[in-house]
Amino acid sequence: MQKKKQTSSKGFRLYVLTFSICCAIYLSPGHTLAQIPDTLIKANLLKELIINQVQLSRQNLSPTPIQILSGEDLKRINSLSVADAIRYFSGVQLKDYGGIGGLKTINVRSMGSNHTAVFYNGIQLANAQNGQVDLGKYSLESLEEISLVSGQHSEILQPAKAYASASAIFLKTKIPNFDENIRTSISATLKTGSFGLVNPSFSIQQKISKKLSATASSEYIRANGKYKFRYTNGVYDTIAVRNNGEVDRIRIEAALHGKLHNDGKWNAQVYSFWSDRGLPGAIVANKFDYTQHIWDRSIFAQGSLEQRLSKFTIMFNAKLSYEYTRYLDPEYVTIDGFLDNHFNEKEIFLSAATKFQAHKNLTIGLASDYSYQTLDANIYRFAYPNRSTFLNVFNAALQIERFQIQGNLLSTTLIDRVRQFGSAGDKQIFSPTIMFSYQPMKSSKIRLRGFYKDIFRMPTFNDLYYTFIGNAQLKPEFAKQYDLGLTFANTFKNMAITFVDLQVDAYYNTVKDKIVAQPGANLFRWSMYNLGRVEIRGLELNAKSGFALTNELTLGIGLNYTYQQAIDVTSSEEDNYRGQIPYVPKHSSSFLGKIDYKNWKLNYSFIYTGYRYNQKSNIIYNYMEPWYTHDVTLGYDLNAKKDVCQLSLEVNNLLDQYFDVIPNFPMPGRNYRLTLNYKL
Amino acid sequence: MRRLTGILSVVAVLALGCRKEPLPLPAQISKIEAEPGSKIKGFYLVNEGNFNMNKASLDYLDIVNGIYTRNLYSQVNPSIIKGLGDVGNDIGIYGSKAFIIVNASNKVEVLNFKTGRKIGQVDIINCRYVKFDNGRAYVSAYLGKIGDPKAPNGIVAEIDTASLQITRSVEVGRQPEEMAILNRKIYVANSGGYSPSNYERTVSVIDIPTFKVIKNIDVAINLHHIKADKYGDLYVTSRGDYYSIPSKLFVIDTQTELVKKVFDVPVSNLAIDDDLAYIYSSQFSYVTGINTLNYSMIDVGKESLLTQKFISDGTEKNIKLPYGIAVNPFSKDVYVTDAKDYVTPGKLHCYDAFGKLKWSVTTGDIPAHLAFVY
């Protein structure tokens, strides 16, 4: 094996070095371990290379914008949860209440967080109660890839749910990929640092037979959540420590992956999550300390089966999930004691999809999903709603030389029932999407792409039925998206520059019948209405490149920039007519840079969010300062005989900038994290 | 290349904008019609600000000179950490001091009423309303104890307006709201709003000399405002349960301490001046999903509903959500605030004695509570 390495061509090595960022350990473990380090590295580099090329082509061939963070790139950014990683995508605003346990939701292209669906291994993480997924709850430790797609994937074979949101995040866990003679691989990681963080995690992958393998992974997070924050208006200047931010979390998941004849495959997985945490409140005058507490328990089991049968390919997906949340407020004393709310949400999901190669240029697809969701809660006058949703989608894709066009029609049938009081009743909605991708010149890798998508989000159970607030009369909130973009990707041989990847997209979105909370009779009595209209014009730019300066020194850079004009066009009689909507900055940007030298890796990232307003009126009292953070990581790989040990030190928010994403919910200043990873 | 990336990030920040030096939030001034002959100098207006936003603010109207100042507090008191605070819920002026109840900031802010400068602060958890009697301020608060699951009752605390110390405290019903003081007795409206399955339905009567609850007058569920007229009667509002039991107005005779009359009109808030009660209401229907606004007047002498309206020129259609009301006792001008959608600056409208709109001015967020400066 050593010899083989010596003889490998220079170009190959350049590739390898560039894409893999210096002797990293390929994330999907298995194959790396029982070999001697050098070979091991090479094998990993190869994987990285393939992944990068696949990723480049996926991003550039797609008629809809896809942003991907995977493998080594994902591992190297300074992130604990999915929420941290997502900040590096363009077109995204992360609503972050700060701290490890703080709620983190995502708003893509200013349409609102309820318009983004989150998928875990291809199946949606649904939340019928409030329609939002707390991305802070999902650890990066077990993930192989995070991708964000605007519109929808152009894949024909997928559940109908994948067509049913304005944008989607896909989380993919590591799938075992064993070499011939390896049966077991183990990875153990320990993270520690600021906020009193102790975060051990462990994963094992086992090859059971040629066609069957198993993975299991578990993680524990404990943190006191304490960090310093600062507020000043230039006259007063106060520094305090965040309280009630303690977090205790356990995640355990296990999966079986099987292969079938004719490229068929199946998997089955169980995911469980326990979380106990304090709920740090708003830092307002004279009140900095809080006592509220939240407990979350969630467990789901899901499975997928895919099989090709001559011209047909079929796919089945199923899921059962149960989520429990308890909220305790000792500052709210009722006649029965402290306010102590319990919520139980259950879901059944079944999906069948098929793809048919009608002609060598024409593929058609059908997908049909059924889901049933219920919510129980121990709150006054609760409606006990349940919802059956049938999604049916017909999809066709036509490829004529360098032109590809695809369209689908989604039918949504909703049946809401309640045990008491009024229900939203039944709804039937049709939503079309059309998209294309075109390569104008055969010789050039420039591609033109675009899509139009008409979609809606249903009012959530909270919108419709929550006691005092809910309004069962609500209509769905509709969004229309128009996107036109250019992509370019190329890899270079025998040059210092190894690849270039460019994506530019301009978009125009409208949201109508936006569901907003409006006051009722007093401050405690809000109600939901279909009131808002928003127009969004945006521009996204993503650029990535890699350089191999010498055999041992490689460099990678990535730049994202987003411009967004998201204006409120609800009523010309209002003062804020055509004003920028809350929390959306006109400009936001991120920069990632990485340098690898021998066993050393250095990462630098910069995130910029421009000024924005925290309420509707664009006035000084609602103005929020821009914020920008610099994060740096230094890593070192120790390659012993049979195993690999990695050590890295992160310094986040290096310049110690104090800022809020949500007003009065302070973000941490400079903080540190030390990661030790061991693989066998 | 490293230099290039460095330059790129510097350029990005320069092009996109950096943070500015932090500065206290400024006051803003609007001119309205001056009334040089006014017997009232002006009034303070507390804007509640949305919960968790820490945007309670204080405006001042100089009636004589026609100058409306928004966000006076931050301008005058820039050194107070995080300013006036979260959810301003009431204001009262006594002697030379203005007392502002800041509900979610758990404090009573005490200002010099002439300058608006902060003199002191009294910490009371979840405080709601303030009234005065004999050199003492009385503050209702939702909870007496924090962290005791068996203590759902609220309190009324007594503050010495000179020393700004809490002198006494008495337990009343659950989630007490507004108070009225007559003949050395405090009448406090209990809501029980934290337990909607079991609202309170009484007005607690506190004897000031002994500072004990001597009686609970049964009225109706979920009480809120309580105002005294000049005949010794109390007008008490019930919010109802927001579903099947509607909001109503009850009249208590303080001689018998019994309800003597019920007005079957919804009432969100009212102001009583001389013989007239000025009333508005907003009622949300869970059946139609619509909020209905209503304005009415009562002759408190005859205890009868009047057909006349305090807005007669049709301009009430410009009010999205009436949220505060006060009547100028000399000019009989009526001041009505509009909280709009809670998340945009509100409006203050002034109507003359004939119900014609005199002027309107933009306020802070959720303009709500007025206190005249004589």
Side-chain angles (χ1 to χ4, degrees):
Chain A
M1 298 295 257
Q2 286 281 19
K3 239 179 203 169
K4 202 175 172 187
K5 188 206 159 200
Q6 304 288 340
T7 54
S8 55
S9 77
K10 198 183 164 192
F12 171 71
R13 277 203 285 168
L14 267 177
Y15 261 79
V16 159
L17 284 163
T18 311
F19 283 99
S20 61
I21 311 111
C22 196
C23 58
I25 285 70
Y26 174 49
L27 277 179
S28 103
H31 53 274
T32 59
L33 299 166
Q35 301 181 352
I36 54 167
D38 278 341
T39 320
L40 188 170
I41 290 160
K42 196 167 70 182
N44 294 336
L45 296 187
L46 245 171
K47 290 280 180 209
E48 272 301 322
L49 172 74
I50 291 160
I51 283 174
N52 270 285
Q53 281 179 334
V54 167
Q55 189 174 310
L56 280 182
S57 67
R58 259 169 76 198
Q59 289 182 159
N60 289 286
L61 293 177
S62 171
T64 50
I66 303 179
Q67 299 176 66
I68 301 169
L69 270 170
S70 67
E72 187 63 20
D73 283 344
L74 184 60
K75 199 172 178 184
R76 286 185 62 162
I77 54 173
N78 302 21
S79 302
L80 201 59
S81 75
V82 169
D84 300 326
I86 256 157
R87 301 178 304 163
Y88 296 102
F89 290 149
S90 61
V92 162
Q93 257 68 58
L94 187 73
K95 264 194 159 185
D96 188 344
Y97 284 79
I100 292 174
L103 177 68
K104 293 162 178 57
T105 59
I106 185 185
N107 180 1
V108 179
R109 294 188 168 185
S110 305
M111 285 174 288
S113 35
N114 289 61
H115 279 286
T116 304
V118 182
F119 291 82
Y120 198 79
N121 287 337
I123 299 180
Q124 195 184 357
L125 294 166
N127 183 330
Q129 191 186 347
N130 60 31
Q132 303 187 350
V133 176
D134 182 358
L135 296 169
K137 276 166 55 175
Y138 296 93
S139 163
L140 284 186
E141 203 51 45
S142 61
L143 296 184
E144 168 64 30
E145 180 184 291
I146 299 175
S147 61
L148 169 68
V149 56
S150 291
Q152 65 198 31
H153 270 309
S154 56
E155 174 59 54
I156 300 273
L157 194 67
Q158 55 183 352
K161 281 260 191 201
Y163 300 85
S165 60
S167 57
I169 294 167
F170 290 84
L171 309 178
K172 248 164 83 180
T173 55
K174 294 166 192 169
I175 294 170
N177 191 1
F178 290 101
D179 281 355
E180 276 301 306
N181 45 5
I182 303 160
R183 296 198 70 86
T184 309
S185 73
I186 288 168
S187 166
T189 306
L190 178 67
K191 291 183 180 178
T192 180
S194 304
F195 322 119
L197 177 75
V198 180
N199 175 205
S201 57
F202 178 81
S203 71
I204 180 164
Q205 308 197 337
Q206 177 71 44
K207 186 153 113 182
I208 297 167
S209 71
K210 263 201 161 146
K211 293 199 160 175
L212 185 65
S213 60
T215 61
S217 129
S218 72
E219 178 172 12
Y220 175 63
I221 295 182
R222 167 163 230 152
N224 61 31
K226 286 192 163 69
Y227 57 86
K228 266 199 278 182
F229 61 87
R230 176 182 171 191
Y231 281 105
T232 178
N233 68 349
V235 180
Y236 72 74
D237 191 342
T238 187
I239 290 180
V241 174
R242 198 76 169 120
N243 98 312
N244 204 35
E246 69 277 1
V247 175
D248 242 311
R249 279 176 172 171
I250 298 170
R251 172 181 60 84
I252 298 174
E253 55 187 313
L256 286 173
H257 298 269
K259 285 179 189 159
L260 302 167
H261 66 91
N262 220 355
D263 291 339
K265 57 186 179 183
W266 64 272
N267 70 71
Q269 125 180 67
V270 180
Y271 177 100
S272 60
F273 178 77
W274 291 261
S275 158
D276 292 8
R277 64 189 155 113
L279 192 67
I283 301 296
V284 298
N286 207 39
K287 182 158 174 66
F288 284 19
D289 292 341
Y290 288 83
T291 53
Q292 287 77 9
H293 208 91
I294 289 187
W295 291 261
D296 296 297
R297 306 280 179 266
S298 80
I299 182 158
F300 64 79
Q302 67 182 39
S304 178
L305 170 73
E306 193 181 321
Q307 181 71 70
R308 190 152 55 84
L309 307 156
S310 72
K311 282 186 169 178
F312 284 95
T313 312
I314 51 162
M315 181 194 228
F316 296 101
N317 284 288
K319 178 178 180 174
L320 272 178
S321 89
Y322 171 70
E323 281 208 41
Y324 164 81
T325 306
R326 176 183 171 206
Y327 170 71
L328 181 74
D329 185 353
E331 295 172 31
Y332 194 109
V333 186
T334 73
I335 45 169
D336 305 315
F338 296 151
L339 181 75
D340 193 354
N341 287 335
H342 301 250
F343 301 90
N344 291 289
E345 186 177 335
K346 293 170 199 161
E347 189 191 9
I348 299 168
F349 171 75
L350 295 167
S351 167
T354 178
K355 180 167 88 169
F356 175 61
Q357 195 72 46
H359 177 265
K360 72 177 169 53
N361 292 333
L362 178 69
T363 315
I364 55 177
L366 275 174
S368 183
D369 289 7
Y370 166 71
S371 73
Y372 178 74
Q373 296 161 307
T374 66
L375 181 67
D376 292 350
N378 68 334
I379 58 176
Y380 172 66
R381 277 187 74 100
F382 195 66
Y384 302 97
N386 68 68
R387 174 175 291 176
S388 299
T389 311
F390 296 91
L391 297 175
N392 289 290
V393 62
F394 174 75
N395 200 332
L398 185 67
Q399 175 96 38
I400 306 163
E401 295 186 353
R402 300 188 307 276
F403 184 72
Q404 182 201 339
I405 185 159
Q406 189 176 336
N408 72 266
L409 186 68
L410 170 72
S411 154
T412 307
T413 312
L414 260 137
I415 304 163
D416 262 28
R417 292 290 178 266
V418 291
R419 203 186 296 165
Q420 52 183 0
F421 315 119
S423 95
D426 306 348
K427 294 197 166 51
Q428 171 63 53
I429 296 161
F430 293 97
S431 321
T433 299
I434 189 148
M435 47 192 171
F436 78 93
S437 172
Y438 176 55
Q439 186 181 1
M441 291 161 286
K442 205 170 184 179
S443 55
S444 164
K445 287 187 176 167
I446 294 174
R447 297 187 77 94
L448 191 65
R449 69 179 175 196
F451 76 90
Y452 162 76
K453 184 173 168 90
D454 186 348
I455 197 67
F456 64 93
R457 71 116 167 156
M458 260 309 282
T460 64
F461 283 163
N462 279 1
D463 294 336
L464 293 164
Y465 308 119
Y466 204 92
T467 311
F468 297 127
I469 298 161
N471 178 358
Q473 315 295 320
L474 285 179
K475 294 175 284 186
E477 175 182 313
F478 287 88
K480 279 189 164 65
Q481 301 178 82
Y482 306 82
D483 179 287
L484 201 60
L486 274 176
T487 66
F488 172 77
N490 208 357
T491 52
F492 305 96
K493 278 184 187 175
N494 306 320
M495 282 170 75
I497 183 162
T498 48
F499 76 94
V500 169
D501 174 24
L502 280 170
Q503 301 189 62
V504 187
D505 282 274
Y507 57 88
Y508 172 70
N509 302 335
T510 59
V511 180
K512 71 160 190 173
D513 289 335
K514 198 171 168 68
I515 297 169
V516 289
Q518 289 274 299
N522 63 59
L523 202 51
F524 302 109
R525 299 288 173 260
W526 291 65
S527 293
M528 309 306 295
Y529 295 87
N530 287 106
L531 258 187
R533 268 188 82 93
V534 182
E535 281 178 15
I536 303 139
R537 291 167 184 85
L539 182 76
E540 282 174 21
L541 170 75
N542 298 293
K544 261 190 216 169
S545 190
F547 305 88
L549 301 179
T550 71
N551 282 358
E552 287 179 325
L553 180 64
T554 64
L555 190 81
I557 55 169
L559 180 72
N560 282 342
Y561 167 77
T562 307
Y563 170 82
Q564 283 195 97
Q565 185 202 41
I567 56 172
D568 187 328
V569 290
T570 307
S571 161
S572 59
E573 280 159 30
E574 284 180 31
D575 295 340
N576 58 299
Y577 182 63
R578 300 192 74 81
Q580 188 84 350
I581 63 170
Y583 297 115
V584 177
K586 281 216 165 115
H587 307 279
S588 52
S589 183
S590 71
F591 173 81
L592 274 168
K594 53 188 185 184
I595 298 168
D596 291 43
Y597 180 69
K598 293 187 176 167
N599 286 11
W600 293 92
K601 323 185 212 190
L602 182 69
N603 258 44
Y604 164 78
S605 64
F606 173 76
I607 291 177
Y608 176 90
T609 297
Y611 77 90
R612 62 242 173 264
Y613 296 95
N614 56 35
Q615 287 187 160
K616 276 164 82 172
S617 291
N618 294 183
I619 57 174
I620 190 167
Y621 304 118
N622 298 333
Y623 176 86
M624 293 184 83
E625 281 286 352
W627 61 264
Y628 28 97
T629 53
H630 304 261
D631 300 344
V632 175
T633 311
L634 184 66
Y636 185 77
D637 289 358
L638 264 166
N639 299 327
K641 245 201 158 169
K642 282 195 165 185
D643 41 14
V644 184
C645 191
Q646 289 178 296
L647 191 70
S648 76
L649 175 70
E650 291 170 36
V651 185
N652 299 317
N653 195 356
L654 187 72
L655 300 186
D656 204 21
Q657 186 176 90
Y658 291 97
F659 64 99
D660 291 357
V661 175
I662 306 295
N664 310 315
F665 288 84
M667 301 294 289
R670 187 186 303 125
N671 62 85
Y672 307 89
R673 198 150 53 218
L674 186 71
T675 304
L676 185 69
N677 174 250
Y678 179 77
K679 281 182 181 174
L680 177 76
Chain B
M1 206 39 74
R2 230 175 311 176
R3 200 195 288 159
L4 178 67
T5 64
I7 290 166
L8 270 177
S9 69
V10 169
V11 167
V13 171
L14 288 180
L16 304 173
C18 285
R19 288 157 80 97
K20 300 172 198 141
E21 276 300 303
L23 283 173
L25 285 171
Q28 290 178 342
I29 283 172
S30 301
K31 292 287 282 181
I32 55 149
E33 180 187 328
E35 288 178 43
S38 174
K39 288 192 174 132
I40 290 177
K41 283 194 188 120
F43 59 79
Y44 283 105
L45 169 66
V46 171
N47 300 288
E48 293 188 354
N50 212 346
F51 181 59
N52 272 353
M53 294 300 275
N54 199 47
K55 280 188 181 169
S57 65
L58 185 65
D59 296 352
Y60 182 75
L61 172 65
D62 177 342
I63 297 179
V64 177
N65 297 306
I67 298 169
Y68 190 84
T69 309
R70 260 185 305 283
N71 203 42
L72 177 78
Y73 183 95
S74 311
Q75 177 95 346
V76 179
N77 301 291
S79 62
I80 305 305
I81 293 168
K82 301 221 86 180
L84 187 55
D86 201 25
V87 190
N89 205 70
D90 199 13
I91 179 170
I93 292 176
Y94 192 76
S96 62
K97 292 174 181 135
F99 292 73
I100 301 173
I101 306 291
V102 192
N103 175 251
S105 282
N106 297 333
K107 67 172 178 180
V108 182
E109 189 87 355
V110 186
L111 310 180
N112 175 319
F113 88 112
K114 281 199 177 127
T115 60
R117 194 151 285 142
K118 181 167 180 168
I119 300 167
Q121 167 179 326
V122 184
D123 286 349
I124 298 176
I125 289 163
N126 215 333
C127 44
R128 296 290 296 168
Y129 285 91
V130 63
K131 280 286 182 311
F132 306 93
D133 190 58
N134 237 347
R136 300 281 191 271
Y138 296 93
V139 175
S140 59
Y142 268 8
L143 285 180
K145 275 181 253 174
I146 282 287
D148 180 355
K150 291 194 171 65
N153 282 357
I155 56 159
V156 171
E158 183 186 66
I159 299 166
D160 183 330
T161 56
S163 69
L164 301 184
Q165 297 299 312
I166 295 176
T167 44
R168 295 183 291 180
S169 164
V170 62
E171 200 171 282
V172 292
R174 288 174 285 122
Q175 292 80 55
E177 298 283 11
E178 201 174 18
M179 296 161 290
I181 302 181
L182 271 180
N183 309 319
R184 301 290 284 151
K185 282 179 185 169
I186 304 167
Y187 296 86
V188 54
N190 299 307
S191 72
Y194 281 180
S195 306
S197 58
N198 194 349
Y199 285 115
E200 287 277 14
R201 42 179 305 123
T202 61
V203 166
S204 296
V205 187
I206 302 162
D207 174 56
I208 292 180
T210 59
F211 217 56
K212 288 205 159 66
V213 174
I214 52 171
K215 193 171 185 181
N216 286 301
I217 307 169
D218 185 79
V219 182
I221 62 157
N222 201 5
L223 303 179
H224 186 196
H225 291 291
I226 181 165
K227 311 273 184 190
D229 71 5
K230 64 180 184 182
Y231 302 103
D233 291 338
L234 298 169
Y235 284 74
V236 191
T237 70
S238 158
R239 294 170 172 131
D241 68 352
Y242 311 103
Y243 289 95
S244 55
I245 304 171
S247 163
K248 278 182 189 172
L249 181 66
F250 296 83
V251 187
I252 295 173
D253 182 340
T254 54
Q255 296 301 309
T256 61
E257 293 190 331
L258 290 170
V259 173
K260 67 167 176 181
K261 191 166 173 87
V262 183
F263 286 98
D264 202 0
V265 289
V267 180
S268 297
N269 199 357
L270 76 162
I272 298 177
D273 173 68
D274 204 14
D275 264 341
L276 293 175
Y278 300 73
I279 297 166
Y280 66 78
S281 71
S282 67
Q283 287 251 99
F284 180 78
S285 163
Y286 289 91
V287 181
T288 60
I290 290 169
N291 208 29
T292 313
L293 305 179
N294 192 45
Y295 302 86
S296 52
M297 292 177 87
I298 285 173
D299 182 326
V300 296
K302 298 190 184 108
E303 289 171 16
S304 63
L305 205 60
L306 301 175
T307 48
Q308 79 187 80
K309 304 273 185 204
F310 58 89
I311 307 173
S312 61
D313 59 358
T315 52
E316 72 270 21
K317 69 174 194 303
N318 298 329
I319 302 177
K320 259 174 111 174
L321 185 74
Y323 204 78
I325 186 165
V327 181
N328 184 319
F330 301 101
S331 67
K332 306 297 175 188
D333 282 353
V334 184
Y335 304 101
V336 179
T337 66
D338 181 0
K340 294 191 177 178
D341 60 1
Y342 281 8
V343 288
T344 43
K347 287 269 188 215
L348 171 67
H349 302 287
C350 176
Y351 302 90
D352 67 17
F354 306 103
K356 295 231 157 31
L357 182 67
K358 282 173 76 175
W359 49 261
S360 299
V361 70
T362 300
T363 63
D365 293 355
I366 319 183
H369 310 279
L370 285 82
F372 289 111
V373 176
Y374 293 94

